């Protein structure tokens, strides 16, 4: 009841003390921070909340830095479309993705971006992907790199409301130099994922030049390359907070209860998603969704938290249809529309 005996709620638990390993935890009013961290899953088990009647005025008056995002938290940020809107109203996004053997990442990110409501989409790809993309994603316009197999140059950036870079990009030297040019020449927030993050981790002096409000979407290993190793999950959160504050960026740490850290040190843990989403391409889908939301005029914080929630909700819907073992990234894209419908409901 409330928390397994011996488990600390908001700091690392003692390695010398005994901790109950619960199958179920019925916790009072709110989840404890410890419930949301991977190292404590073996102690907490399946947790549920019990409303014990704390007064709403008191709850709203408490100054906190950790939030657990549910439907009622993200729904107010969802924009309602005007009947006289058109494709120009919903933004023009650019995705920079794909390389030889990894064009699937560009396809997944592009399809997800379109499903998430962007008005216009260009995807910048190497020449080798031209026929693949024109066939697989006919709704997407293409910007073709001069190189055959990888990203090597930055297109004209003047017309884009949002840019996402990284899915399937590769680590070629020319790609790294082109990413540096992108950072130097685009003043608005950029979404960095996958190989774009790996390039940044090898060129950490570039981090100081990231546009303020940019969004990084690492999995734990990618985060470790950026911020260094940690001894426990609470230290990981501290490193993440310091990183976001130092560089003025938002970082989405992907996984169970995906965590978005803001530059002001606030954390937003996500309530949707399931283990079935641990599949190749799932992160590419998230990049496309967040890029689409940013292009539509959402703030960086809104695009990150709403995008993560919708992505997880689509994954939950896909799992209901296919089961956890059989979900693939394309299933998450296909359920994105239904996720929007459930959020609007």
């Amino acid at each position: 009841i409330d928390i397994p005996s011996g488990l600390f709620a908001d700091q690392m638990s003692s390695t010398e003390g005994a901790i109950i390993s619960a199958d179920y935890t019925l916790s009072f009013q709110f989840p404890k921070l410890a419930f949301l961290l991977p190292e404590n899953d073996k102690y907490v088990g399946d947790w549920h909340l019990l409303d014990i009647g704390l007064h709403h005025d008191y709850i709203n008056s408490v100054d906190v830095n950790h939030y657990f995002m549910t439907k009622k938290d993200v729904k107010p940020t969802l924009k309602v479309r005007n009947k006289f809107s058109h494709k120009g109203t919903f933004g023009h996004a650019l995705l920079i993705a794909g390389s030889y053997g990894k064009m699937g990442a560009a396809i997944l990110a592009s399809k997800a971006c379109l499903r998430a409501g962007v008005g216009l989409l260009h995807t910048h790809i190497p020449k080798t992907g031209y026929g693949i993309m024109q066939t697989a994603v006919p709704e997407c316009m293409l910007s073709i790199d001069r190189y055959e197999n990888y990203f090597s140059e930055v297109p004209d950036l003047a017309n884009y409301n949002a840019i996402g870079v990284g899915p399937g990009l590769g680590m070629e030297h020319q790609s790294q130099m082109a990413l540096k040019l992108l950072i130097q020449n685009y003043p608005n927030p950029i979404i960095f994922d996958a190989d774009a993050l790996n390039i940044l981790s090898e060129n950490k002096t570039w981090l100081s030049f990231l546009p303020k409000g940019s969004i990084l979407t690492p999995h734990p290993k990618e985060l470790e390359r950026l911020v260094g190793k940690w001894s426990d999950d609470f230290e990981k959160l501290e490193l993440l907070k310091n990183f976001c504050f130092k560089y003025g960026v938002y970082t989405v740490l992907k996984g169970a209860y995906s965590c978005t850290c803001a530059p002001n040190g606030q954390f937003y843990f996500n309530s949707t998603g399931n283990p079935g989403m641990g599949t190749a391409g799932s992160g590419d889908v998230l990049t496309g969704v967040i890029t689409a939301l940013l292009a539509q005029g959402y703030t960086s914080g809104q695009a990150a938290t709403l995008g993560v929630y919708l992505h997880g909700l689509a994954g939950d819907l896909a799992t209901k249809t296919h089961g956890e073992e059989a979900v693939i990234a394309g299933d998450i894209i296909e359920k994105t529309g239904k996720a929007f419908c459930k959020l609007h409901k």
Side-chain angles (χ1 to χ4, degrees):
I1 296 296
D2 197 33
I3 188 169
S5 296
L7 181 67
F8 294 168
D10 55 4
Q11 65 187 61
M12 183 183 177
S13 299
S14 171
T15 56
E16 297 178 358
I19 304 174
I20 294 293
S21 294
D23 294 309
Y24 297 92
T25 299
L26 307 180
S27 194
F28 297 152
Q29 204 74 47
F30 292 103
K32 313 312 185 256
L33 179 58
F35 295 2
L36 308 176
L37 303 179
E39 66 187 24
N40 295 320
D41 181 57
K42 59 186 176 183
Y43 305 123
V44 179
D46 188 8
W47 60 265
H48 301 271
L49 298 181
L50 302 176
D51 188 340
I52 58 172
L54 293 184
H55 200 282
H56 286 204
D57 289 346
Y58 167 74
I59 292 172
N60 293 331
S61 70
V62 176
D63 187 23
V64 297
N65 287 322
H66 302 94
Y67 299 87
F68 188 63
M69 305 299 285
T70 61
K71 180 178 179 180
K72 67 181 178 61
D73 300 306
V74 298
K75 183 173 181 177
T77 66
L78 191 61
K79 297 178 184 289
V80 177
R81 296 195 164 198
N82 184 286
K83 70 170 67 176
F84 292 105
S85 300
H86 51 82
K87 62 185 178 184
T89 308
F90 304 119
H92 191 173
L94 171 68
L95 284 171
I96 301 174
S99 60
Y100 183 78
K102 297 180 181 178
M103 287 310 303
I107 292 171
L108 290 168
S110 299
K111 284 186 173 182
C113 190
L114 290 159
R115 283 288 184 196
V118 73
L120 295 162
L121 172 64
H122 266 89
T123 301
H124 183 86
I125 57 170
K127 286 182 181 179
T128 189
Y130 174 76
I132 298 168
M133 286 290 293
Q134 290 278 259
T135 304
V137 197
E139 301 90 347
C140 173
M141 297 175 285
L142 297 180
S143 167
I144 310 298
D145 200 279
R146 62 180 171 172
Y147 272 60
E148 185 74 21
N149 293 329
Y150 50 82
F151 167 52
S152 70
E153 60 186 352
V154 177
D156 184 358
L157 305 175
N159 296 322
Y160 301 114
N161 305 102
I163 296 176
V165 58
L169 202 67
M171 296 286 290
E172 296 286 345
H173 177 71
Q174 289 95 331
S175 300
Q176 297 193 32
M177 293 301 99
L179 182 66
K180 183 180 181 182
L181 281 175
L182 174 66
I183 294 168
Q184 292 172 333
N185 288 285
Y186 192 69
N188 301 322
I190 300 172
I191 296 94
F192 295 90
D193 182 39
D195 282 330
L197 295 173
N198 293 329
I199 292 171
L200 288 175
S201 68
E202 291 189 3
N203 301 274
K204 291 183 180 176
T205 56
W206 300 359
L207 291 168
S208 298
F209 301 99
L210 298 184
K212 299 305 178 187
S214 289
I215 303 169
L216 285 64
T217 60
H219 56 58
K221 197 65 181 177
E222 289 167 340
L223 179 67
E224 183 184 290
R225 297 186 192 116
L226 287 167
V227 305
K229 293 182 180 295
W230 51 82
S231 58
D232 60 79
D233 285 336
F234 288 99
E235 184 184 7
K236 175 182 68 179
L237 294 183
E238 191 65 23
L239 289 171
L240 178 57
K241 181 176 72 173
N242 294 338
F243 177 85
C244 293
F245 175 78
K246 181 177 181 179
Y247 298 112
V249 297
Y250 291 82
T251 301
V252 177
L253 177 56
K254 296 181 289 193
Y257 309 116
S258 289
C259 168
T260 300
C261 182
N264 64 2
Q266 292 183 331
F267 291 89
Y268 300 88
F269 292 88
N270 187 50
S271 61
T272 58
N274 64 83
M277 298 176 70
T279 183
S282 180
D284 304 325
V285 174
L286 178 62
T287 298
V289 171
I290 295 176
T291 303
L293 295 174
L294 199 61
Q296 291 171 72
Y298 290 89
T299 66
S300 294
Q302 290 171 339
T305 54
L306 177 59
V308 170
Y309 184 90
L310 283 166
H311 180 253
L313 181 56
D316 290 340
L317 293 168
T319 298
K320 285 184 179 180
T321 301
H322 300 286
E324 287 186 352
E325 292 81 2
V327 169
I328 59 174
D331 299 328
I332 301 172
I333 297 171
E334 291 304 314
K335 294 297 184 182
T336 300
K338 186 169 281 189
F340 271 104
C341 290
K342 286 182 73 70
L343 198 52
H344 276 296
K345 210 167 188 178

